[in-house]
Amino acid sequence: MAISRRQFVQGLALAGAGSLAASPFASNALADRSRPTSTPTAPSVPTKTGVSGRVVVIGGGMGGTSVAKYLRLWGGDKLNVTLVERSPAYTSNIMSNGVLTGQTTLSALQYRHATLASRYGVTVVNAQAQGIDSGAKKVTLSTGTSLTYDRLVVAPGLTFDAVPGLSVADYDTRFPHAWQAGPQTDFLRTQLLGMRPGGTVVMTIPPAPYRCPPGPYERACLIAAWLKINKPGSRVVILDANPKIMAEPIAFTEAFTRIHADVITYVPNAVLDHIDPATKTVYTSALTVKADVLNPIPPHRAGTIAAQSGLVNVAGRWAGVDVLSYESSAVPGIHVIGDAIGTTMPKSGHVANAQAKVTADAITRIFSGRPLDSAPATSSACYSPITMSTASWLTGVYHYDPATKTMQLSKIAEAPSITAGNYQDMAKWFRGLMTDTFA
Ligand SMILES: Cc1cc2nc3c(=O)[nH]c(=O)nc-3n(C[C@H](O)[C@H](O)[C@H](O)COP(=O)(O)OP(=O)(O)OC[C@H]3O[C@@H](n4cnc5c(N)ncnc54)[C@H](O)[C@@H]3O)c2cc1C
């Protein structure tokens, strides 16, 4: 069973490339077609696994939803799984850059947890987890109630720092980062629509590690493509705190130096000093730029509940884990997955989904007294739109290295060229990932 689980995790990474599907960006109607559908082949929860226990999962995003589903699928019906999610619907960050260009909408990117309950028997609680008592093995909720657990999985995603000159509230009211899909994404689109032709969009990128390494570059490309049509003469200035393009350097170099050379200025080593909100001027170690539309992607860190619960022990920002089980290296009995952890793997939805499966496997082994899988694998796949009709892609497979006790990149592949076919394949990859997570 361990081998088939490992193959399952890897298989998803490579599933998208090469097959055609309707693009989620082609129109809003097509965006709906990229939604997960209930597959006739959906597996059912087994009954006689011999596994029992109580697991509480905090966070119903890419990592948390996947782990809840696979705990039931692999652990069986005596494994009591409760998912705590504060929002009634999850809005996918993946594909959300398409909202900025009007190629999709936030509502087309929303996913509910109803199938998790009806098909897999997960108890879904809409509440904010407010505290963890790891001694009593108890999670307190905003509803005033609490949940006890044998094992807890924490998958809270991120929280965002203020940057010098701006408060966290400014992201909602003046300068959206839109690095968490939601109202800020629509707000940024509204600002782009209202910008004068010939205006300047300025984006800042925080030092790595940050959520979705190619994401900011992808966003810049899509905005550039949209500006060419809708706001001629406008520019996009990318102020990157990192020394180089952090993902898909071949594709994005091509994009910045050829395809969008007339619009995009890419500035590496541009460490943010401060922002003057009155003049919308961004001061960095490399360049000072005045913006018409300002998109500051701030440094981020593990979601608040992780820090509150003593789980953050990597660089003061991330939760450290044993990647054989994703059990916290700070607090026993608690597993942490997704963007909140500090590991060698990128912070991506695809990786969070893969980590969730390793964790579900590990917890079922722990409950049944079996040893952990000593050679887990995870995978990552990313499609990056370069224009509104072409894309590139990147996949990677990570294997456990016993010497360093880390996940090491063992296989990497990048699209040989930027094509319309890749753009179409993106829809199949996205639908596969979201179906595997939410359906
Ligand atoms: C613009 C953009 C594009 C991206 N594109 C891609 C891509 O192409 N491919 C890819 O793989 N990844 C992509 N990503 C990254 C991906 O979205 C994240 O890596 C992924 O969502 C991380 O999953 P997670 O489960 O850790 O966190 P999330 O998906 O953010 O989920 C966290 C959940 O926890 C809930 N929560 C937090 N705290 C509590 C609490 N105390 N109580 C209850 N609920 C709580 C939140 O409401 C949220 O639903 C992109 C990100 C962005 C911003």
Side-chain angles (χ1 to χ4, degrees):
M1 182 184 275
I3 288 171
S4 67
R5 287 181 192 183
R6 201 174 305 137
Q7 286 169 336
F8 188 85
V9 171
Q10 290 182 33
L12 190 60
L14 310 170
S19 47
L20 293 178
S23 163
F25 282 169
S27 71
N28 291 347
L30 284 177
D32 286 339
R33 276 196 238 159
S34 73
R35 301 187 63 72
T37 48
S38 33
T39 48
T41 53
S44 55
V45 174
T47 53
K48 290 189 177 112
T49 60
V51 177
S52 63
R54 290 164 305 170
V55 182
V56 172
V57 179
I58 298 176
M62 298 304 296
T65 305
S66 304
V67 79
K69 171 177 166 178
Y70 279 90
L71 275 165
R72 290 283 294 180
L73 279 179
W74 291 341
D77 66 343
K78 308 292 180 302
L79 192 56
N80 189 321
V81 180
T82 303
L83 177 78
V84 180
E85 167 56 52
R86 61 188 169 201
S87 304
Y90 175 72
T91 306
S92 170
N93 299 307
I94 308 174
M95 302 294 176
S96 68
N97 283 331
V99 175
L100 304 177
T101 54
Q103 291 170 281
T104 189
T105 61
L106 286 177
S107 58
L109 295 174
Q110 281 186 343
Y111 298 84
R112 295 184 182 272
H113 300 94
T115 308
L116 209 57
S118 63
R119 178 171 293 154
Y120 303 108
V122 173
T123 304
V124 178
V125 177
N126 277 135
Q128 168 104 5
Q130 288 186 318
I132 299 168
D133 180 341
S134 58
K137 296 198 163 182
K138 197 167 81 172
V139 179
T140 52
L141 305 180
S142 52
T143 51
T145 55
S146 61
L147 296 165
T148 51
Y149 62 83
D150 299 312
R151 289 269 154 181
L152 175 65
V153 183
V154 179
L158 301 172
T159 183
F160 296 90
D161 291 359
V163 294
L166 301 186
S167 68
V168 168
D170 284 328
Y171 302 137
D172 289 330
T173 56
R174 296 201 281 181
F175 306 113
H177 57 67
W179 216 238
Q180 179 71 54
Q184 285 189 26
T185 317
D186 274 340
F187 187 25
L188 184 55
R189 163 140 175 95
T190 304
Q191 292 192 345
L192 290 168
L193 284 168
M195 189 178 81
R196 67 182 171 90
T200 303
V201 179
V202 178
M203 171 195 291
T204 64
I205 304 178
Y210 58 85
R211 163 180 274 179
C212 191
Y217 312 117
E218 163 192 307
R219 174 177 288 180
C221 287
L222 277 175
I223 291 176
W226 183 85
L227 290 174
K228 282 180 197 172
I229 300 163
N230 296 282
K231 305 278 173 182
S234 299
R235 291 194 311 145
V236 178
V237 180
I238 308 169
L239 299 172
D240 191 344
N242 300 288
K244 58 182 171 48
I245 296 169
M246 300 306 288
E248 297 178 63
I250 298 167
F252 288 117
T253 299
E254 166 86 352
F256 300 161
T257 59
R258 198 183 62 78
I259 300 166
H260 298 305
D262 51 339
V263 180
I264 292 180
T265 304
Y266 173 70
V267 187
N269 290 309
V271 178
L272 183 64
D273 183 75
H274 71 283
I275 292 172
D276 177 356
T279 60
K280 295 189 196 169
T281 305
V282 185
Y283 297 84
T284 73
S285 56
L287 199 68
T288 296
V289 195
K290 188 169 167 2
D292 292 280
V293 170
L294 174 55
N295 177 216
I297 303 174
H300 28 278
R301 58 185 69 231
T304 312
I305 188 81
Q308 281 172 351
S309 313
L311 297 166
V312 169
N313 59 358
V314 175
R317 289 184 179 272
W318 315 111
V321 295
D322 170 1
V323 289
L324 287 180
S325 63
Y326 293 87
E327 185 163 3
S328 161
S329 54
V331 187
I334 301 180
H335 304 248
V336 193
I337 56 174
D339 287 358
I341 61 177
T343 69
T344 51
M345 290 169 279
K347 298 183 186 302
S348 85
H350 200 117
V351 168
N353 169 279
Q355 292 167 347
K357 289 169 188 163
V358 176
T359 304
D361 180 56
I363 290 175
T364 57
R365 286 167 182 262
I366 290 166
F367 280 141
S368 53
R370 289 180 296 134
L372 296 174
D373 180 356
S374 58
T378 56
S379 64
S380 168
C382 228
Y383 281 83
S384 301
I386 302 295
T387 67
M388 290 198 279
S389 59
T390 62
S392 63
W393 55 259
L394 178 72
T395 62
V397 177
Y398 293 79
H399 281 97
Y400 184 69
D401 173 24
T404 58
K405 298 188 172 160
T406 60
M407 300 299 288
Q408 290 297 321
L409 187 61
S410 56
K411 225 188 258 177
I412 188 163
E414 193 170 346
S417 55
I418 297 163
T419 67
N422 293 338
Y423 190 91
Q424 296 296 314
D425 289 348
M426 196 165 59
K428 173 154 183 160
W429 164 79
F430 180 57
R431 186 170 52 234
L433 178 61
M434 298 318 263
T435 298
D436 189 53
T437 303
F438 286 92

